[in-house]
Amino acid sequence: KTPTSVRVLSKTSSAEDPTDIPRVYVVTNTGDNSTLTNAKKTTCSLTVLGGKDGVNTVAGDGTIKLRGNSTQFADKKPFNISFNSKQTVMQGRNKGKKWCLMASAYDKSFLRNKIGMSLGKVFDNVGAPEDHYVELYMNGTYIGLYEISEPADNCRSGISYDDSADSQEIQFEIRS
């Protein structure tokens, strides 16, 4: 599917912007999405416009880079975004600089991650990062539907583990 070009007139007050779905606007310093890699962060401005889904409106400068292993080679790329200062992107959650934009490139239903995270929250002893659907726009181009998520850093998303050298606790993820 070819991305649709859009013109962003304002970061926060376009009357034509939908108000129900949170959106993420990324404008890189290069203006070129094809130069993004997972080895190098690219400077950008970041704007998250909240919707009705528990996402706050925040803006600031930061960086973007590709994330993932095999998924970074998919047609729809996943990204990590980092603000230069900590932001409260999700309502009721901790501030953080780093946020994940999961593409669900191999899940056309966009349900597998969402259901997995929701089930993790139901069980008391399973930590699951907070996540919400967002629409991603990069350099004036609509990229698609994504999930914005907290990273699974120690304690930030409710996952607490002993990461000292002598610990036997581990963190793992199940992939299908």
Side-chain angles (χ1 to χ4, degrees), residues 27-170:
V27 180
T28 65
N29 62 344
T30 63
D32 183 6
N33 304 352
S34 66
T35 61
L36 298 175
T37 69
N38 73 341
K40 181 182 171 202
K41 295 179 179 181
T42 300
T43 305
C44 64
S45 73
L46 300 165
T47 303
V48 178
L49 296 180
K52 295 179 181 177
D53 193 24
V55 176
N56 293 321
T57 297
V58 296
D61 292 330
T63 59
I64 186 169
K65 71 175 203 156
L66 290 178
R67 76 181 301 266
N69 293 312
S70 62
T71 56
Q72 68 179 301
F73 301 108
D75 289 337
K76 186 177 176 192
K77 311 286 187 212
F79 301 100
N80 281 333
I81 56 172
S82 296
F83 287 92
N84 288 343
S85 62
K86 290 184 176 184
Q87 302 289 332
T88 306
V89 172
M90 312 239 179
Q91 295 171 8
R93 303 302 283 198
N94 292 333
K95 285 185 172 186
K97 288 184 179 183
K98 181 180 174 184
W99 302 90
C100 304
L101 291 170
M102 299 179 293
S104 297
Y106 303 122
D107 177 19
K108 301 304 178 197
S109 71
F110 291 98
L111 292 174
R112 187 172 55 204
N113 278 340
K114 193 69 170 162
I115 289 171
M117 297 292 190
S118 295
L119 283 174
K121 292 172 195 160
V122 170
F123 299 107
D124 291 335
N125 293 328
V126 177
E130 186 74 13
D131 67 320
H132 296 279
Y133 290 119
V134 296
E135 290 187 330
L136 176 62
Y137 296 83
M138 194 176 310
N139 295 317
T141 301
Y142 176 71
I143 304 299
L145 182 67
Y146 278 71
E147 280 179 80
I148 191 167
S149 172
E150 299 174 296
D153 292 341
N154 196 3
C155 296
R156 171 145 167 236
S157 61
I159 301 170
S160 179
Y161 56 92
D162 182 356
D163 56 359
S164 63
D166 59 343
S167 172
Q168 294 185 5
E169 290 186 10
I170 61 169

